[in-house]
Amino acid sequence: MEDKEIRRYSAVVVDGVEQAPSRAMLRAVGFEEEDFVKPQVGIASTWSMTTPCNMHIDELARKAGEGTDAAGGKSVIFNTISVSDGIAMGTLGMRYSLVSREIIADSIEAVAGAEGFDGMVAIGGCDKNMPACVMAMARLNRPSVFVYGGTIRPGAKRRDIVSVFEAVGAYAGNKIDEDELLEVEQTAIPGPGACGGMYTANTMASAIEALGMSLANSSAQEAVSEAKAMDCLRAGEAVVNLIQLNITPRDIMTKKAFENAIVVVTALGGSTNAVMHLIAMAHEAEVDLSLEDFTRIGGKVPVVADLKPSGRYLMSELIEIGGIQPLMRRLLDDGLLHGDCLTVTGRTLAENLADVADYPDGQEVIRDFDNPIKPEGHLVIMYGNLAPDGAVAKITGKEGLRFEGTAKVYHSEEAALQAILDGAVGKGDVVVIRYEGPKGGPGMREMLSPTGAIMGKGLGADVALITDGRFSGGSHGFVVGHVTPEAAVGGPIALIEDGDAILIDAENHRIDLMVGEQQIEKRRKNWQRPPSSVSGGLLAKYRADVQSASAGAITVAPPWDD
């Protein structure tokens, strides 16, 4: 890495006679005279009481501040928003979930840019917090460390939030009664922390650790634990070290580092949302990452983690055997990781992993590479006349590799869910949920309610679901999302009719509408976009700027017209 001049961004805020007003304001929030010559570190906290994922992060932010101050920096804690996917799921409020990723990234950039911070620690605990924090770090390119807020402890009988969604389907299918549903609801979420399987939160935490932007094991600690408190203290110390070494996020977030993240997500059987989020993060770091990279890397990386939703174990059980560090050591030893990538420790990935011990004998959470759950990656990028620009499927192999069925088409998640619960969806059906893409939603809602209902009713092996929306990391079954172009821009998914034959072929990475091209063209000429209920406000602004799911659903303003 070439030497760079250390830039003290805070100097423009605190140095010189003319900045006396700035110093006066800072004295009021706790600055002492000696603090004005210290590197200022913004501690971006995503604390709120809107979700258990983030309800404890105010305490973690203070710990990160303590670590920063002890290492010779001056910490300044500030907040940003958080939207709860679990609470908004299945409602129109879920349209704001992916939008919040952009708001969080924008707000962190705004505060850090305005205040002149020399570095940052950002603490995220829910799905969109995490990529958003890293997107802001990449934009600002100031020394930064990301801290994961930590996973939730299991509920009674090893339950989690997905247990509740699937219990709704089980109740609708007369498999459990109302008292049993209530008991699941009351016991599934015991306290702070992100959803407990290898869902999107734990997937993205693992990806960011593999990317090099978190300290070792940040992704594999319970939210309420001494280990997580220490992680925050060490992150505060680490960011001061990065400032002194002048190591910035773009030194770390290289193409090879993103490849490492994809490798780890694949080995863990992680969420489909990782595809979109990693592409968006790479865009902010000016790294060229595309759907083809997931296909290329997935072809050589086995799925070895037997984790929920499709597997048996929770994140807390992976933590008990050592987290993802031993897995990364195995991947490195097998030549699947780039060991020369720089990390927030100031050392390379290989140096960080040099002394990592293997998993204990007898554990069954992480399999050996010669006995994988799936010999190739589970994130299957599909193309065909239904998805010319790509679609993302999560195929662990337990669902089968091929599904051919007849379409049942719905223009919203609510309509599809009601049909599933009412028994209108049966064996051999392909549920098509459209106008739920980034522009069509707007906001690209996750389809955990419909997929949870399908699994809960015992139809997981008999029904497929495709959508231009997204899936929660908790979704499993034969599901294909991120279908592009989306219906709202006239993509082929908009042209499907009830009764059409649809073929999903995971082995050949194909998703096709089995209708003649002439018939498809006739439908295309007659297609009209349905009216939207959104005419103004944030969602309308998002709809105007958002790009396709295949481009990471990033928001890009039109170029300035000179």
Side-chain angles (χ1 to χ4, degrees), residues 194-454:
C195 302
M198 189 48 64
Y199 312 144
T200 305
N202 283 317
T203 297
M204 291 312 301
S206 301
I208 293 167
E209 182 176 327
L211 186 68
M213 289 299 295
S214 292
L215 296 174
N217 277 325
S218 185
S219 70
Q221 295 158 342
E222 290 184 334
V224 181
S225 66
E226 183 61 28
K228 181 50 63 183
M230 287 302 299
D231 184 36
C232 294
L233 282 168
R234 291 190 300 114
E237 296 168 357
V239 75
V240 175
N241 182 53
L242 290 174
I243 292 170
Q244 294 167 346
L245 295 174
N246 199 21
I247 296 174
T248 61
R250 295 192 190 184
D251 297 325
I252 296 169
M253 296 170 64
T254 63
K255 179 64 177 280
K256 291 200 294 185
F258 277 100
E259 290 178 345
N260 285 346
I262 295 172
V263 168
V264 170
V265 167
T266 302
L268 289 170
S271 167
T272 55
N273 280 319
V275 178
M276 176 183 303
H277 292 325
L278 286 170
I279 289 174
M281 290 156 57
H283 170 80
E284 300 294 356
E286 298 185 359
V287 170
D288 182 18
L289 196 71
S290 70
L291 294 177
E292 285 67 35
D293 291 305
F294 289 84
T295 298
R296 172 176 57 84
I297 293 168
K300 61 182 180 180
V301 179
V303 179
V304 293
D306 192 7
L307 295 166
K308 288 192 174 188
S310 56
R312 294 179 292 166
Y313 296 101
L314 291 163
M315 190 67 182
S316 58
E317 291 163 305
L318 177 59
I319 291 170
E320 288 176 3
I321 64 168
I324 72 166
Q325 288 283 298
L327 173 60
M328 289 174 65
R329 174 63 188 265
R330 289 183 178 185
L331 291 164
L332 179 67
D333 291 345
D334 214 47
L336 294 172
L337 289 179
H338 302 292
D340 58 343
C341 290
L342 193 62
T343 74
V344 292
T345 64
R347 304 188 300 166
T348 66
L349 183 69
E351 289 172 331
N352 291 344
L353 294 173
D355 297 323
V356 172
D358 200 9
Y359 292 116
D361 292 339
Q363 63 83 25
E364 297 182 349
V365 182
I366 302 294
R367 293 192 186 182
D368 292 334
F369 289 172
D370 59 2
N371 181 35
I373 291 168
K374 190 170 184 283
E376 294 183 345
H378 66 300
L379 296 174
V380 179
I381 309 303
M382 295 184 176
Y383 296 92
N385 69 354
L386 239 177
D389 295 341
V392 181
K394 185 178 183 181
I395 306 294
T396 66
K398 296 179 181 180
E399 311 83 358
L401 297 172
R402 180 185 172 94
F403 193 101
E404 187 167 2
T406 54
K408 287 202 172 168
V409 182
Y410 304 96
H411 281 204
S412 71
E413 178 188 3
E414 288 84 355
L417 176 61
Q418 196 59 53
I420 295 164
L421 294 177
D422 289 346
V425 171
K427 186 174 182 178
D429 286 337
V430 179
V431 176
V432 179
I433 306 178
R434 63 191 182 196
Y435 298 105
E436 292 285 7
K439 289 184 179 291
M444 203 177 182
R445 292 192 288 176
E446 292 180 343
M447 302 295 144
L448 181 55
S449 293
T451 60
I454 288 170

Side-chain angles (χ1 to χ4, degrees), residues 9 108-110 112-113 120 135-142 249-250:
Y9 294 92
I108 292 175
E109 177 193 353
M120 279 199 306
M135 288 163 68
M137 291 171 174
R139 289 181 194 173
L140 290 157
N141 202 33
R142 302 178 190 182
R250 295 192 190 184

Side-chain angles (χ1 to χ4, degrees), residues 112-131:
E115 297 288 323
F117 296 139
D118 299 300
M120 279 199 306
V121 175
I123 309 170
C126 201
D127 297 10
K128 311 309 167 300
N129 303 168
M130 291 182 278

Side-chain angles (χ1 to χ4, degrees), residues 72-91:
K74 175 58 181 173
S75 62
V76 181
I77 298 174
F78 67 98
N79 240 76
T80 183
I81 67 162
S82 183
V83 170
S84 173
D85 291 0
I87 294 171
M89 195 74 71
T91 74

Side-chain angles (χ1 to χ4, degrees), residues 383-387 501-505 510-515:
Y383 296 92
N385 69 354
L386 239 177
I502 293 174
L503 174 63
I504 306 168
D505 183 348
R510 297 287 305 181
I511 179 167
D512 287 300
L513 177 62
M514 309 303 284
V515 173

